[in-house]
Amino acid sequence: MPTEQNPGPAIRVQGLEKSYKQLHVLRGVDFDVARGSIFALLGSNGAGKTTVIRILSTLLRPDAGTATVNGFDVATDPLRVRESISLTGQFAAVDEILSGRENLVLVARLRHLKASGTVADDLLARFNLGDAGSRKVSTYSGGMRRRLDIAMSLIGQPEVIFLDEPTTGLDPEGRLEVWQIVQELARQGTTVLLTTQYLDEAEQLSAVTVLPVEVVTQAFSPSAHSLRGAVRVLR
């Protein structure tokens, strides 16, 4: 269920730091994410992308710095943050024994939504899974599972969605399907923050891209389809 809308950016990160003993993963990370935009964290394995996602989703506390999601501080108001977000991990969190529709109905009921069947049917149609809705997820392709996984994350209409490497392990057709979904979410006003190892993916999504050394800003406006670029070095 949507929470109260707050002014300002959907996500604001300032001076974020995180270390694991002697390993410094994040060192003074700063960025803002505009509402209804796509923002990609680009980097290799171990660059700290998932660590940022875990902090923003209140699963991990930073050592220093601040972060807000939908105007709520992740450290002091984690409950309101969780009400504002949905998180999809690197691997599709779907039940293979159930059908696609049953997976969606289950999540809708867990969120205490009325007419869970209608919610499921609407999402199956939206993600082009209507014909496969009654089939067990074990028969789905990788792209279909990822589409179902993202559909499940939209139940409850979160303002912000975190996608952790959503196309890892998918074939080219599956990657294109996910790209189309992400762009459509932004056009409908949802803020999407995703992580990726693929430069072409960040470019294709017209996203704001953060690298371990540099920040390359390419802000995507779904309405104007315009790009604005800037580069600065993280210290």
Side-chain angles (χ1 to χ4, degrees), residues 6-43:
N6 288 279
I11 301 171
R12 170 160 287 172
V13 173
Q14 296 178 309
L16 206 61
E17 297 185 12
K18 184 63 183 180
S19 298
Y20 297 97
K21 295 184 178 180
Q22 301 302 315
L23 178 62
H24 299 286
V25 179
L26 303 177
R27 302 190 183 192
V29 176
D30 303 272
F31 61 82
D32 286 351
V33 182
R35 295 184 181 277
S37 68
I38 306 167
F39 190 102
L41 297 174
L42 172 67

PDB file of all heavy atoms in Angstrom, residues 6-43:
ATOM      1  N   ASN A   6       6.450  12.038   0.081  1.00  0.00           N
ATOM      2  CA  ASN A   6       7.280  13.073   0.650  1.00  0.00           C
ATOM      3  C   ASN A   6       7.960  13.857  -0.460  1.00  0.00           C
ATOM      4  O   ASN A   6       8.317  13.294  -1.495  1.00  0.00           O
ATOM      5  CB  ASN A   6       8.356  12.467   1.567  1.00  0.00           C
ATOM      6  CG  ASN A   6       7.765  11.950   2.864  1.00  0.00           C
ATOM      7  OD1 ASN A   6       7.528  12.702   3.787  1.00  0.00           O
ATOM      8  ND2 ASN A   6       7.487  10.663   2.911  1.00  0.00           N
ATOM      9  N   PRO A   7       8.147  15.175  -0.259  1.00  0.00           N
ATOM     10  CA  PRO A   7       8.831  15.975  -1.283  1.00  0.00           C
ATOM     11  C   PRO A   7      10.308  15.613  -1.360  1.00  0.00           C
ATOM     12  O   PRO A   7      10.846  14.957  -0.484  1.00  0.00           O
ATOM     13  CB  PRO A   7       8.628  17.405  -0.776  1.00  0.00           C
ATOM     14  CG  PRO A   7       8.472  17.272   0.712  1.00  0.00           C
ATOM     15  CD  PRO A   7       7.749  15.975   0.916  1.00  0.00           C
ATOM     16  N   GLY A   8      10.956  16.084  -2.422  1.00  0.00           N
ATOM     17  CA  GLY A   8      12.377  15.803  -2.579  1.00  0.00           C
ATOM     18  C   GLY A   8      12.611  14.523  -3.337  1.00  0.00           C
ATOM     19  O   GLY A   8      11.689  13.878  -3.835  1.00  0.00           O
ATOM     20  N   PRO A   9      13.878  14.103  -3.439  1.00  0.00           N
ATOM     21  CA  PRO A   9      14.206  12.885  -4.195  1.00  0.00           C
ATOM     22  C   PRO A   9      13.632  11.636  -3.542  1.00  0.00           C
ATOM     23  O   PRO A   9      13.408  11.602  -2.330  1.00  0.00           O
ATOM     24  CB  PRO A   9      15.734  12.869  -4.180  1.00  0.00           C
ATOM     25  CG  PRO A   9      16.109  13.660  -2.961  1.00  0.00           C
ATOM     26  CD  PRO A   9      15.077  14.729  -2.844  1.00  0.00           C
ATOM     27  N   ALA A  10      13.412  10.608  -4.353  1.00  0.00           N
ATOM     28  CA  ALA A  10      12.917   9.346  -3.814  1.00  0.00           C
ATOM     29  C   ALA A  10      13.959   8.698  -2.908  1.00  0.00           C
ATOM     30  O   ALA A  10      13.622   8.067  -1.908  1.00  0.00           O
ATOM     31  CB  ALA A  10      12.544   8.395  -4.950  1.00  0.00           C
ATOM     32  N   ILE A  11      15.232   8.849  -3.289  1.00  0.00           N
ATOM     33  CA  ILE A  11      16.340   8.290  -2.503  1.00  0.00           C
ATOM     34  C   ILE A  11      17.426   9.353  -2.397  1.00  0.00           C
ATOM     35  O   ILE A  11      17.762   9.997  -3.399  1.00  0.00           O
ATOM     36  CB  ILE A  11      16.925   7.024  -3.164  1.00  0.00           C
ATOM     37  CG1 ILE A  11      15.853   5.949  -3.322  1.00  0.00           C
ATOM     38  CG2 ILE A  11      18.107   6.477  -2.353  1.00  0.00           C
ATOM     39  CD1 ILE A  11      16.292   4.762  -4.162  1.00  0.00           C
ATOM     40  N   ARG A  12      17.962   9.538  -1.207  1.00  0.00           N
ATOM     41  CA  ARG A  12      19.098  10.448  -1.009  1.00  0.00           C
ATOM     42  C   ARG A  12      20.144   9.744  -0.147  1.00  0.00           C
ATOM     43  O   ARG A  12      19.837   9.250   0.944  1.00  0.00           O
ATOM     44  CB  ARG A  12      18.665  11.747  -0.352  1.00  0.00           C
ATOM     45  CG  ARG A  12      19.830  12.635   0.112  1.00  0.00           C
ATOM     46  CD  ARG A  12      19.400  14.071   0.287  1.00  0.00           C
ATOM     47  NE  ARG A  12      19.185  14.709  -1.014  1.00  0.00           N
ATOM     48  CZ  ARG A  12      18.645  15.924  -1.162  1.00  0.00           C
ATOM     49  NH1 ARG A  12      18.210  16.593  -0.093  1.00  0.00           N
ATOM     50  NH2 ARG A  12      18.518  16.448  -2.380  1.00  0.00           N
ATOM     51  N   VAL A  13      21.363   9.660  -0.663  1.00  0.00           N
ATOM     52  CA  VAL A  13      22.483   9.024   0.034  1.00  0.00           C
ATOM     53  C   VAL A  13      23.589  10.049   0.196  1.00  0.00           C
ATOM     54  O   VAL A  13      24.000  10.689  -0.780  1.00  0.00           O
ATOM     55  CB  VAL A  13      22.997   7.797  -0.753  1.00  0.00           C
ATOM     56  CG1 VAL A  13      24.271   7.250  -0.124  1.00  0.00           C
ATOM     57  CG2 VAL A  13      21.927   6.718  -0.815  1.00  0.00           C
ATOM     58  N   GLN A  14      24.083  10.220   1.428  1.00  0.00           N
ATOM     59  CA  GLN A  14      25.123  11.204   1.703  1.00  0.00           C
ATOM     60  C   GLN A  14      26.199  10.602   2.607  1.00  0.00           C
ATOM     61  O   GLN A  14      25.902  10.155   3.715  1.00  0.00           O
ATOM     62  CB  GLN A  14      24.521  12.448   2.378  1.00  0.00           C
ATOM     63  CG  GLN A  14      23.537  13.209   1.493  1.00  0.00           C
ATOM     64  CD  GLN A  14      22.918  14.401   2.193  1.00  0.00           C
ATOM     65  OE1 GLN A  14      22.393  14.288   3.291  1.00  0.00           O
ATOM     66  NE2 GLN A  14      22.963  15.563   1.542  1.00  0.00           N
ATOM     67  N   GLY A  15      27.418  10.583   2.088  1.00  0.00           N
ATOM     68  CA  GLY A  15      28.564  10.150   2.882  1.00  0.00           C
ATOM     69  C   GLY A  15      28.487   8.733   3.394  1.00  0.00           C
ATOM     70  O   GLY A  15      29.019   8.427   4.460  1.00  0.00           O
ATOM     71  N   LEU A  16      27.882   7.834   2.614  1.00  0.00           N
ATOM     72  CA  LEU A  16      27.652   6.466   3.078  1.00  0.00           C
ATOM     73  C   LEU A  16      28.967   5.687   3.129  1.00  0.00           C
ATOM     74  O   LEU A  16      29.728   5.647   2.171  1.00  0.00           O
ATOM     75  CB  LEU A  16      26.669   5.765   2.145  1.00  0.00           C
ATOM     76  CG  LEU A  16      25.842   4.617   2.748  1.00  0.00           C
ATOM     77  CD1 LEU A  16      24.980   5.117   3.889  1.00  0.00           C
ATOM     78  CD2 LEU A  16      24.966   4.004   1.659  1.00  0.00           C
ATOM     79  N   GLU A  17      29.216   5.054   4.282  1.00  0.00           N
ATOM     80  CA  GLU A  17      30.427   4.248   4.462  1.00  0.00           C
ATOM     81  C   GLU A  17      30.070   2.913   5.117  1.00  0.00           C
ATOM     82  O   GLU A  17      29.191   2.839   5.974  1.00  0.00           O
ATOM     83  CB  GLU A  17      31.445   4.981   5.337  1.00  0.00           C
ATOM     84  CG  GLU A  17      31.953   6.285   4.741  1.00  0.00           C
ATOM     85  CD  GLU A  17      33.047   6.932   5.577  1.00  0.00           C
ATOM     86  OE1 GLU A  17      33.566   6.257   6.498  1.00  0.00           O
ATOM     87  OE2 GLU A  17      33.374   8.100   5.311  1.00  0.00           O
ATOM     88  N   LYS A  18      30.782   1.867   4.685  1.00  0.00           N
ATOM     89  CA  LYS A  18      30.599   0.546   5.280  1.00  0.00           C
ATOM     90  C   LYS A  18      31.872  -0.257   5.110  1.00  0.00           C
ATOM     91  O   LYS A  18      32.462  -0.311   4.023  1.00  0.00           O
ATOM     92  CB  LYS A  18      29.430  -0.193   4.620  1.00  0.00           C
ATOM     93  CG  LYS A  18      29.124  -1.545   5.266  1.00  0.00           C
ATOM     94  CD  LYS A  18      28.683  -1.401   6.725  1.00  0.00           C
ATOM     95  CE  LYS A  18      28.447  -2.743   7.390  1.00  0.00           C
ATOM     96  NZ  LYS A  18      28.032  -2.589   8.805  1.00  0.00           N
ATOM     97  N   SER A  19      32.303  -0.875   6.205  1.00  0.00           N
ATOM     98  CA  SER A  19      33.488  -1.729   6.188  1.00  0.00           C
ATOM     99  C   SER A  19      33.168  -3.056   6.848  1.00  0.00           C
ATOM    100  O   SER A  19      32.324  -3.135   7.743  1.00  0.00           O
ATOM    101  CB  SER A  19      34.656  -1.061   6.931  1.00  0.00           C
ATOM    102  OG  SER A  19      35.031   0.142   6.314  1.00  0.00           O
ATOM    103  N   TYR A  20      33.845  -4.101   6.385  1.00  0.00           N
ATOM    104  CA  TYR A  20      33.785  -5.413   7.022  1.00  0.00           C
ATOM    105  C   TYR A  20      35.192  -5.710   7.531  1.00  0.00           C
ATOM    106  O   TYR A  20      36.060  -6.106   6.759  1.00  0.00           O
ATOM    107  CB  TYR A  20      33.325  -6.475   6.024  1.00  0.00           C
ATOM    108  CG  TYR A  20      31.927  -6.245   5.497  1.00  0.00           C
ATOM    109  CD1 TYR A  20      31.723  -5.612   4.271  1.00  0.00           C
ATOM    110  CD2 TYR A  20      30.803  -6.648   6.220  1.00  0.00           C
ATOM    111  CE1 TYR A  20      30.443  -5.402   3.773  1.00  0.00           C
ATOM    112  CE2 TYR A  20      29.520  -6.443   5.734  1.00  0.00           C
ATOM    113  CZ  TYR A  20      29.346  -5.817   4.516  1.00  0.00           C
ATOM    114  OH  TYR A  20      28.077  -5.602   4.028  1.00  0.00           O
ATOM    115  N   LYS A  21      35.398  -5.441   8.821  1.00  0.00           N
ATOM    116  CA  LYS A  21      36.723  -5.521   9.437  1.00  0.00           C
ATOM    117  C   LYS A  21      37.685  -4.590   8.692  1.00  0.00           C
ATOM    118  O   LYS A  21      37.486  -3.392   8.670  1.00  0.00           O
ATOM    119  CB  LYS A  21      37.211  -6.965   9.483  1.00  0.00           C
ATOM    120  CG  LYS A  21      36.355  -7.862  10.380  1.00  0.00           C
ATOM    121  CD  LYS A  21      36.910  -9.272  10.476  1.00  0.00           C
ATOM    122  CE  LYS A  21      36.052 -10.127  11.415  1.00  0.00           C
ATOM    123  NZ  LYS A  21      36.558 -11.500  11.541  1.00  0.00           N
ATOM    124  N   GLN A  22      38.694  -5.124   8.024  1.00  0.00           N
ATOM    125  CA  GLN A  22      39.672  -4.269   7.347  1.00  0.00           C
ATOM    126  C   GLN A  22      39.292  -3.970   5.890  1.00  0.00           C
ATOM    127  O   GLN A  22      40.011  -3.231   5.208  1.00  0.00           O
ATOM    128  CB  GLN A  22      41.057  -4.943   7.379  1.00  0.00           C
ATOM    129  CG  GLN A  22      41.575  -5.219   8.781  1.00  0.00           C
ATOM    130  CD  GLN A  22      41.675  -3.951   9.618  1.00  0.00           C
ATOM    131  OE1 GLN A  22      42.164  -2.924   9.144  1.00  0.00           O
ATOM    132  NE2 GLN A  22      41.210  -4.024  10.855  1.00  0.00           N
ATOM    133  N   LEU A  23      38.194  -4.530   5.423  1.00  0.00           N
ATOM    134  CA  LEU A  23      37.782  -4.334   4.046  1.00  0.00           C
ATOM    135  C   LEU A  23      36.805  -3.158   3.953  1.00  0.00           C
ATOM    136  O   LEU A  23      35.687  -3.223   4.461  1.00  0.00           O
ATOM    137  CB  LEU A  23      37.113  -5.597   3.500  1.00  0.00           C
ATOM    138  CG  LEU A  23      36.577  -5.520   2.071  1.00  0.00           C
ATOM    139  CD1 LEU A  23      37.709  -5.245   1.079  1.00  0.00           C
ATOM    140  CD2 LEU A  23      35.836  -6.806   1.712  1.00  0.00           C
ATOM    141  N   HIS A  24      37.222  -2.076   3.302  1.00  0.00           N
ATOM    142  CA  HIS A  24      36.377  -0.897   3.115  1.00  0.00           C
ATOM    143  C   HIS A  24      35.563  -1.072   1.831  1.00  0.00           C
ATOM    144  O   HIS A  24      36.107  -1.025   0.731  1.00  0.00           O
ATOM    145  CB  HIS A  24      37.231   0.368   3.032  1.00  0.00           C
ATOM    146  CG  HIS A  24      38.029   0.635   4.274  1.00  0.00           C
ATOM    147  ND1 HIS A  24      37.462   1.105   5.432  1.00  0.00           N
ATOM    148  CD2 HIS A  24      39.348   0.474   4.531  1.00  0.00           C
ATOM    149  CE1 HIS A  24      38.394   1.234   6.364  1.00  0.00           C
ATOM    150  NE2 HIS A  24      39.550   0.852   5.834  1.00  0.00           N
ATOM    151  N   VAL A  25      34.277  -1.273   1.989  1.00  0.00           N
ATOM    152  CA  VAL A  25      33.409  -1.532   0.840  1.00  0.00           C
ATOM    153  C   VAL A  25      32.852  -0.235   0.267  1.00  0.00           C
ATOM    154  O   VAL A  25      32.851  -0.021  -0.953  1.00  0.00           O
ATOM    155  CB  VAL A  25      32.262  -2.488   1.229  1.00  0.00           C
ATOM    156  CG1 VAL A  25      31.339  -2.736   0.037  1.00  0.00           C
ATOM    157  CG2 VAL A  25      32.821  -3.798   1.748  1.00  0.00           C
ATOM    158  N   LEU A  26      32.354   0.633   1.132  1.00  0.00           N
ATOM    159  CA  LEU A  26      31.804   1.920   0.713  1.00  0.00           C
ATOM    160  C   LEU A  26      32.577   3.031   1.400  1.00  0.00           C
ATOM    161  O   LEU A  26      32.768   3.001   2.610  1.00  0.00           O
ATOM    162  CB  LEU A  26      30.316   2.028   1.084  1.00  0.00           C
ATOM    163  CG  LEU A  26      29.390   0.942   0.543  1.00  0.00           C
ATOM    164  CD1 LEU A  26      27.977   1.153   1.069  1.00  0.00           C
ATOM    165  CD2 LEU A  26      29.399   0.922  -0.986  1.00  0.00           C
ATOM    166  N   ARG A  27      32.978   4.028   0.614  1.00  0.00           N
ATOM    167  CA  ARG A  27      33.731   5.152   1.154  1.00  0.00           C
ATOM    168  C   ARG A  27      33.114   6.458   0.692  1.00  0.00           C
ATOM    169  O   ARG A  27      33.384   6.931  -0.406  1.00  0.00           O
ATOM    170  CB  ARG A  27      35.196   5.096   0.700  1.00  0.00           C
ATOM    171  CG  ARG A  27      35.931   3.822   1.097  1.00  0.00           C
ATOM    172  CD  ARG A  27      37.413   3.949   0.840  1.00  0.00           C
ATOM    173  NE  ARG A  27      38.133   2.719   1.134  1.00  0.00           N
ATOM    174  CZ  ARG A  27      39.461   2.635   1.205  1.00  0.00           C
ATOM    175  NH1 ARG A  27      40.204   3.699   1.000  1.00  0.00           N
ATOM    176  NH2 ARG A  27      40.044   1.476   1.469  1.00  0.00           N
ATOM    177  N   GLY A  28      32.252   7.020   1.500  1.00  0.00           N
ATOM    178  CA  GLY A  28      31.680   8.325   1.208  1.00  0.00           C
ATOM    179  C   GLY A  28      30.847   8.393  -0.053  1.00  0.00           C
ATOM    180  O   GLY A  28      31.028   9.284  -0.881  1.00  0.00           O
ATOM    181  N   VAL A  29      29.916   7.460  -0.216  1.00  0.00           N
ATOM    182  CA  VAL A  29      29.071   7.426  -1.406  1.00  0.00           C
ATOM    183  C   VAL A  29      27.945   8.454  -1.278  1.00  0.00           C
ATOM    184  O   VAL A  29      27.286   8.550  -0.248  1.00  0.00           O
ATOM    185  CB  VAL A  29      28.477   6.017  -1.605  1.00  0.00           C
ATOM    186  CG1 VAL A  29      27.515   5.995  -2.789  1.00  0.00           C
ATOM    187  CG2 VAL A  29      29.596   5.002  -1.806  1.00  0.00           C
ATOM    188  N   ASP A  30      27.744   9.237  -2.346  1.00  0.00           N
ATOM    189  CA  ASP A  30      26.691  10.254  -2.398  1.00  0.00           C
ATOM    190  C   ASP A  30      25.923  10.128  -3.705  1.00  0.00           C
ATOM    191  O   ASP A  30      26.531  10.025  -4.765  1.00  0.00           O
ATOM    192  CB  ASP A  30      27.270  11.674  -2.322  1.00  0.00           C
ATOM    193  CG  ASP A  30      28.104  11.918  -1.087  1.00  0.00           C
ATOM    194  OD1 ASP A  30      27.535  12.306  -0.059  1.00  0.00           O
ATOM    195  OD2 ASP A  30      29.335  11.715  -1.158  1.00  0.00           O
ATOM    196  N   PHE A  31      24.604  10.150  -3.644  1.00  0.00           N
ATOM    197  CA  PHE A  31      23.791  10.275  -4.854  1.00  0.00           C
ATOM    198  C   PHE A  31      22.344  10.540  -4.475  1.00  0.00           C
ATOM    199  O   PHE A  31      21.899  10.234  -3.367  1.00  0.00           O
ATOM    200  CB  PHE A  31      23.894   9.037  -5.760  1.00  0.00           C
ATOM    201  CG  PHE A  31      23.417   7.741  -5.139  1.00  0.00           C
ATOM    202  CD1 PHE A  31      22.071   7.403  -5.116  1.00  0.00           C
ATOM    203  CD2 PHE A  31      24.333   6.827  -4.602  1.00  0.00           C
ATOM    204  CE1 PHE A  31      21.633   6.200  -4.572  1.00  0.00           C
ATOM    205  CE2 PHE A  31      23.911   5.628  -4.050  1.00  0.00           C
ATOM    206  CZ  PHE A  31      22.556   5.316  -4.039  1.00  0.00           C
ATOM    207  N   ASP A  32      21.614  11.150  -5.399  1.00  0.00           N
ATOM    208  CA  ASP A  32      20.180  11.357  -5.279  1.00  0.00           C
ATOM    209  C   ASP A  32      19.494  10.623  -6.430  1.00  0.00           C
ATOM    210  O   ASP A  32      20.032  10.546  -7.536  1.00  0.00           O
ATOM    211  CB  ASP A  32      19.802  12.837  -5.353  1.00  0.00           C
ATOM    212  CG  ASP A  32      20.147  13.596  -4.082  1.00  0.00           C
ATOM    213  OD1 ASP A  32      20.522  12.956  -3.083  1.00  0.00           O
ATOM    214  OD2 ASP A  32      20.053  14.840  -4.101  1.00  0.00           O
ATOM    215  N   VAL A  33      18.304  10.125  -6.165  1.00  0.00           N
ATOM    216  CA  VAL A  33      17.503   9.468  -7.201  1.00  0.00           C
ATOM    217  C   VAL A  33      16.167  10.191  -7.293  1.00  0.00           C
ATOM    218  O   VAL A  33      15.415  10.232  -6.313  1.00  0.00           O
ATOM    219  CB  VAL A  33      17.278   7.976  -6.879  1.00  0.00           C
ATOM    220  CG1 VAL A  33      16.483   7.314  -8.009  1.00  0.00           C
ATOM    221  CG2 VAL A  33      18.608   7.257  -6.666  1.00  0.00           C
ATOM    222  N   ALA A  34      15.881  10.755  -8.455  1.00  0.00           N
ATOM    223  CA  ALA A  34      14.628  11.472  -8.650  1.00  0.00           C
ATOM    224  C   ALA A  34      13.453  10.499  -8.678  1.00  0.00           C
ATOM    225  O   ALA A  34      13.592   9.335  -9.050  1.00  0.00           O
ATOM    226  CB  ALA A  34      14.683  12.258  -9.962  1.00  0.00           C
ATOM    227  N   ARG A  35      12.302  10.996  -8.299  1.00  0.00           N
ATOM    228  CA  ARG A  35      11.108  10.155  -8.309  1.00  0.00           C
ATOM    229  C   ARG A  35      10.732   9.766  -9.736  1.00  0.00           C
ATOM    230  O   ARG A  35      10.831  10.551 -10.657  1.00  0.00           O
ATOM    231  CB  ARG A  35       9.939  10.890  -7.646  1.00  0.00           C
ATOM    232  CG  ARG A  35      10.180  11.147  -6.170  1.00  0.00           C
ATOM    233  CD  ARG A  35       8.990  11.792  -5.488  1.00  0.00           C
ATOM    234  NE  ARG A  35       9.308  12.027  -4.077  1.00  0.00           N
ATOM    235  CZ  ARG A  35       9.211  11.118  -3.127  1.00  0.00           C
ATOM    236  NH1 ARG A  35       8.785   9.904  -3.440  1.00  0.00           N
ATOM    237  NH2 ARG A  35       9.527  11.396  -1.880  1.00  0.00           N
ATOM    238  N   GLY A  36      10.321   8.522  -9.894  1.00  0.00           N
ATOM    239  CA  GLY A  36       9.907   8.042 -11.199  1.00  0.00           C
ATOM    240  C   GLY A  36      11.035   7.875 -12.187  1.00  0.00           C
ATOM    241  O   GLY A  36      10.819   7.871 -13.398  1.00  0.00           O
ATOM    242  N   SER A  37      12.264   7.705 -11.689  1.00  0.00           N
ATOM    243  CA  SER A  37      13.416   7.535 -12.570  1.00  0.00           C
ATOM    244  C   SER A  37      14.042   6.165 -12.364  1.00  0.00           C
ATOM    245  O   SER A  37      13.677   5.426 -11.449  1.00  0.00           O
ATOM    246  CB  SER A  37      14.461   8.628 -12.315  1.00  0.00           C
ATOM    247  OG  SER A  37      15.052   8.455 -11.032  1.00  0.00           O
ATOM    248  N   ILE A  38      15.001   5.839 -13.231  1.00  0.00           N
ATOM    249  CA  ILE A  38      15.773   4.610 -13.116  1.00  0.00           C
ATOM    250  C   ILE A  38      17.189   4.989 -12.728  1.00  0.00           C
ATOM    251  O   ILE A  38      17.782   5.891 -13.310  1.00  0.00           O
ATOM    252  CB  ILE A  38      15.809   3.832 -14.445  1.00  0.00           C
ATOM    253  CG1 ILE A  38      14.392   3.576 -14.965  1.00  0.00           C
ATOM    254  CG2 ILE A  38      16.553   2.508 -14.276  1.00  0.00           C
ATOM    255  CD1 ILE A  38      14.355   3.100 -16.410  1.00  0.00           C
ATOM    256  N   PHE A  39      17.723   4.299 -11.747  1.00  0.00           N
ATOM    257  CA  PHE A  39      19.079   4.580 -11.261  1.00  0.00           C
ATOM    258  C   PHE A  39      19.819   3.258 -11.157  1.00  0.00           C
ATOM    259  O   PHE A  39      19.371   2.349 -10.467  1.00  0.00           O
ATOM    260  CB  PHE A  39      19.012   5.253  -9.895  1.00  0.00           C
ATOM    261  CG  PHE A  39      20.317   5.809  -9.387  1.00  0.00           C
ATOM    262  CD1 PHE A  39      20.589   7.159  -9.456  1.00  0.00           C
ATOM    263  CD2 PHE A  39      21.271   4.974  -8.827  1.00  0.00           C
ATOM    264  CE1 PHE A  39      21.783   7.671  -8.969  1.00  0.00           C
ATOM    265  CE2 PHE A  39      22.467   5.470  -8.349  1.00  0.00           C
ATOM    266  CZ  PHE A  39      22.728   6.826  -8.425  1.00  0.00           C
ATOM    267  N   ALA A  40      20.934   3.141 -11.880  1.00  0.00           N
ATOM    268  CA  ALA A  40      21.685   1.883 -11.887  1.00  0.00           C
ATOM    269  C   ALA A  40      23.009   2.035 -11.171  1.00  0.00           C
ATOM    270  O   ALA A  40      23.749   2.984 -11.419  1.00  0.00           O
ATOM    271  CB  ALA A  40      21.931   1.418 -13.319  1.00  0.00           C
ATOM    272  N   LEU A  41      23.298   1.107 -10.272  1.00  0.00           N
ATOM    273  CA  LEU A  41      24.609   1.004  -9.647  1.00  0.00           C
ATOM    274  C   LEU A  41      25.422   0.020 -10.470  1.00  0.00           C
ATOM    275  O   LEU A  41      25.116  -1.170 -10.499  1.00  0.00           O
ATOM    276  CB  LEU A  41      24.487   0.516  -8.200  1.00  0.00           C
ATOM    277  CG  LEU A  41      23.732   1.430  -7.238  1.00  0.00           C
ATOM    278  CD1 LEU A  41      23.563   0.740  -5.894  1.00  0.00           C
ATOM    279  CD2 LEU A  41      24.464   2.746  -7.063  1.00  0.00           C
ATOM    280  N   LEU A  42      26.434   0.525 -11.151  1.00  0.00           N
ATOM    281  CA  LEU A  42      27.233  -0.283 -12.059  1.00  0.00           C
ATOM    282  C   LEU A  42      28.586  -0.583 -11.433  1.00  0.00           C
ATOM    283  O   LEU A  42      29.274   0.309 -10.957  1.00  0.00           O
ATOM    284  CB  LEU A  42      27.435   0.466 -13.382  1.00  0.00           C
ATOM    285  CG  LEU A  42      28.410  -0.135 -14.386  1.00  0.00           C
ATOM    286  CD1 LEU A  42      27.865  -1.463 -14.925  1.00  0.00           C
ATOM    287  CD2 LEU A  42      28.665   0.844 -15.519  1.00  0.00           C
ATOM    288  N   GLY A  43      28.972  -1.862 -11.423  1.00  0.00           N
ATOM    289  CA  GLY A  43      30.270  -2.225 -10.873  1.00  0.00           C
ATOM    290  C   GLY A  43      30.491  -3.721 -10.928  1.00  0.00           C
ATOM    291  O   GLY A  43      29.565  -4.498 -11.144  1.00  0.00           O
TER     292      GLY A  43
END
